[in-house]
Amino acid sequence: GFKGTWRVRREGESYEEGERWLERRLQRLANEEKFIGVEVAMGGRRIQVPRAGGGVALFRFDEVCASAMGAGDYTAVASTFHTVGLSRVPRMTIERVDLMRRFITFIDVMYEHKVKLLACAPTSPATLFVSSGGKGQRDEEFAWDRAASRLAEMSTQEYVEAPWRPKSGAWLLEQARVTEVVPPDVLRGLWQRYDADHNGVLDEQELEELLADLNQMRRGHRNVPQEQLDSAWEMLTNRGQRGTRDREGMGGAKPSRRGDAFVTFECFIKYGNEAFAACMTLA
């Protein structure tokens, strides 16, 4: 049942071994892209994602469930990453019912957005909650049974193959408040969303999708005039200089209909704010 998505820690096994298993699995799903720290903006706040790449994020349990993160933050994560790994999941106890409730909210949000969830834990989901059988615990037992059932469904082939259902990019951009200067780490987070094929560069179609979301957020329509696309494209391809496909690390990049030009990660981070500002006058 949980062979592919939920790893039960063996007796005597260290947390680090489980994390290495998780990182290897996630790295493959991220097309071996190097994991870096990024930030996802949420209503003016910034969520730290310490390890991310190729549309995949890796967290420790405490980073998402023993912190100030809530449903809105989880939604922003679920709308940026198609796959999330969670290491060091502990047993759930009534003494730390706050952790269990946050974890259940996290599971629900990932499930609603059809995010693939991989985790390492001391036992299977069905037996992860340790109840002392006291009065008043029935509600918590019921809530965990429902969450465990959901986790079981999330490990099925049908769920794993289901298309990701993130919130709209316009919603994500609105949370990032792109009317202001976007910090580099937040631009790195947005890159995770718009590099749809995770080949390490943005082609013209991917840039057009970003601009359509930007227009929807600011102007209420998704039409991207050619002049607007040209303006952003020129700014982001290093002020009009064309990229080359054989550039170091970019060998797998696919050319757009502009020949061999594409937007590199470095240019997106460097010129992203200028491009947003310049092209918005043309929407």
Side-chain angles (χ1 to χ4, degrees), residues 202-251:
L202 289 191
D203 61 27
E204 192 172 355
Q205 191 177 352
E206 289 165 336
L207 179 60
E208 193 168 353
E209 178 67 19
L210 190 159
L211 295 178
D213 287 338
L214 205 55
N215 289 345
Q216 185 181 324
M217 182 194 78
R218 293 188 182 169
R219 305 277 192 263
H221 67 77
R222 293 187 61 78
N223 179 49
V224 180
Q226 190 62 43
E227 192 184 358
Q228 185 191 23
L229 184 57
D230 289 347
S231 170
W233 186 262
E234 181 158 339
M235 184 71 74
L236 287 167
T237 49
N238 203 354
R239 305 194 182 281
Q241 289 178 34
R242 297 234 162 170
T244 54
R245 293 180 68 195
D246 58 3
R247 209 178 128 167
E248 190 183 349
M250 298 294 174

Side-chain angles (χ1 to χ4, degrees), residues 77-79 81-84 109-117 154 159 163-165:
V77 167
S79 297
F81 304 102
H82 58 76
T83 301
V84 171
V109 171
M110 297 302 119
Y111 178 86
E112 284 158 16
H113 295 83
K114 293 291 177 277
V115 171
K116 316 311 177 245
L117 179 64
M154 290 168 83
Y159 180 92
W164 178 40
R165 285 209 309 244

Side-chain angles (χ1 to χ4, degrees), residues 264-282:
T264 65
F265 177 75
E266 293 80 10
C267 288
F268 185 74
I269 304 307
K270 191 169 182 180
Y271 303 126
N273 281 295
E274 292 174 64
F276 291 156
C279 73
M280 274 299 102
T281 60
L282 303 167

Side-chain angles (χ1 to χ4, degrees), residues 21 31 43 46 67 117 124 265:
W21 172 85
N31 295 325
R46 278 144 72 180
S67 64
L117 179 64
S124 68
F265 177 75

